[in-house]
Amino acid sequence: MIRNIFIFLLILCSIALKAQEAHLPNMAETFRNDGKIYVVISVISIIFFSIVLFLIFLERKIKRLEDKFKGN
Amino acid sequence: MIMKHWYKIISVFIIFYTLVWGLLNPVPRLDILNETIRNVYYHVPIWFAMLFMMLVSLIFSIKSLSTNKLADDIKAYNAAVVGFFFSIPGLLTGSVWAKFTWTTWWTFQDPKLNGVAISILIYLAYFILRFSIDDELKRARISAVYNVFAFVMMNVFIMILPRLTDSLHPGNGGNPAFAKYDLDSNMRMVFYPAVVGWLLFSFWLFQIKNRISFLNNKLDD
């Protein structure tokens, strides 16, 4: 009898746990576990660093022009 | 060389850190928002950069009123241009985010959106005012006075009014922004550096713009 009640309680617990799990908001877990997030990060990083490189070259060009004006 | 470029180097490192860790770090699980909560690291700092640039613009406007130097006026204008430039991705990212969480690209229910729209028009008027005056000294004085007004109005529209009424944006409708319910400590670790990084980055753009306009001025002389 006690064993039956115990099993019943266990089942109840597991149902409660499952209900909680079902309520958890979805967070793209499979995508992360596949490691695909690193693909996104590398693409974003490449774009960001190319913009930074562009700005650096632009600044160097401006510096050269400034030196030209100082020379005059 | 490092002395001159330190803030650019720091800003690039910080932004890179927020791009990587912003996508990897654990965030609170919330309904509706889900993974889009990470937009806080990118959408909000862009707006902070815009506000910062408008503040820089205000400072140089006031400075130009007291010194009467045209260089300060040009700096004020450049800062406003950079700030205006940041408001466009700010609006677009907000619009995309709103589409998938508030289910609409634009809602007139939200005082912050309306306030931002009005502020952008106010600054557009600042640019038009500048273009309409030919005399340089006159332009400097009138646009500096207008800029003080524009900055105050922008703060009323996007910082004060949204806090007085209900808003869809967190931290509005009476609560101070970034209360403990809005950001957890994991998110702060990325969000605060992101704000600093984008402020420095906007300042870098501002310096580039200044140097170009001074070259342009020298060319005219």
Side-chain angles (χ1 to χ4, degrees):
Chain A
M1 184 62 196
I2 289 170
R3 195 168 149 257
N4 279 350
I5 290 173
F6 184 67
I7 289 171
F8 178 70
L9 278 178
L10 259 184
I11 291 169
L12 257 187
C13 275
S14 72
I15 288 171
L17 272 177
K18 200 142 204 181
Q20 251 180 357
E21 234 169 62
H23 180 68
L24 275 182
N26 185 16
M27 291 301 266
E29 245 112 27
T30 13
F31 173 68
R32 278 166 195 288
N33 290 340
D34 286 350
K36 295 256 167 66
I37 189 72
Y38 296 103
V39 181
V40 178
I41 288 174
S42 34
V43 168
I44 292 176
S45 306
I46 290 168
I47 293 174
F48 176 63
F49 278 110
S50 26
I51 292 172
V52 169
L53 261 184
F54 173 79
L55 287 180
I56 289 170
F57 282 121
L58 184 68
E59 277 212 309
R60 283 175 65 181
K61 212 169 197 175
I62 293 170
K63 182 99 188 77
R64 236 174 286 147
L65 276 174
E66 280 172 346
D67 290 343
K68 226 183 202 174
F69 272 107
K70 262 179 207 158
N72 286 348
Chain B
M1 191 203 140
I2 302 262
M3 292 295 281
K4 234 173 147 184
H5 302 295
W6 61 272
Y7 68 91
K8 303 166 192 170
I9 297 164
I10 292 173
S11 89
V12 169
F13 272 108
I14 291 178
I15 293 174
F16 178 61
Y17 156 74
T18 61
L19 289 180
V20 175
W21 192 235
L23 290 175
L24 290 176
N25 81 333
V27 289
R29 279 173 178 270
L30 296 174
D31 282 318
I32 301 171
L33 275 176
N34 301 14
E35 291 270 1
T36 67
I37 195 168
R38 292 174 199 280
N39 280 354
V40 168
Y41 308 140
Y42 312 111
H43 164 76
V44 185
I46 292 269
W47 281 116
F48 276 47
M50 180 260 199
L51 286 176
F52 173 66
M53 270 300 117
M54 293 319 187
L55 178 69
V56 171
S57 175
L58 172 80
I59 290 167
F60 278 109
S61 276
I62 293 171
K63 213 177 153 202
S64 89
L65 279 177
S66 66
T67 60
N68 268 332
K69 274 187 188 153
L70 279 178
D72 291 330
D73 177 57
I74 289 169
K75 281 181 184 168
Y77 168 72
N78 286 340
V81 169
V82 175
F84 190 78
F85 165 77
F86 271 105
S87 76
I88 294 163
L91 265 187
L92 293 178
T93 54
S95 192
V96 172
W97 197 6
K99 175 67 189 163
F100 294 99
T101 50
W102 305 340
T103 69
T104 168
W105 297 105
W106 186 277
T107 168
F108 289 102
Q109 308 286 325
D110 190 275
K112 208 146 195 159
L113 297 189
N114 296 331
V116 153
I118 295 168
S119 311
I120 284 176
L121 289 180
I122 289 173
Y123 275 97
L124 263 181
Y126 170 70
F127 299 134
I128 293 168
L129 176 72
R130 287 187 65 92
F131 289 133
S132 65
I133 303 171
D134 283 330
D135 182 31
E136 279 179 332
L137 286 169
K138 211 175 182 182
R139 182 204 295 154
R141 295 194 76 82
I142 292 175
S143 63
V145 172
Y146 179 81
N147 199 12
V148 175
F149 162 78
F151 186 79
V152 171
M153 288 313 278
M154 181 185 71
N155 276 297
V156 168
F157 280 122
I158 74 182
M159 306 299 273
I160 297 167
L161 286 183
R163 287 198 167 74
L164 296 179
T165 55
D166 277 334
S167 170
L168 290 165
H169 276 89
N172 291 295
N175 308 313
F178 315 122
K180 61 177 173 185
Y181 303 109
D182 296 335
L183 276 180
D184 75 342
S185 56
N186 274 328
M187 291 190 72
R188 278 172 218 269
M189 290 280 287
V190 178
F191 176 70
Y192 291 142
V195 171
V196 174
W198 283 102
L199 291 197
L200 292 175
F201 193 79
S202 68
F203 199 75
W204 185 8
L205 296 185
F206 169 58
Q207 290 293 13
I208 290 179
K209 190 113 186 36
N210 278 342
R211 289 167 76 179
I212 292 175
S213 48
F214 286 130
L215 280 175
N216 212 5
N217 266 18
K218 273 185 188 162
L219 208 65
D220 287 344
D221 288 344

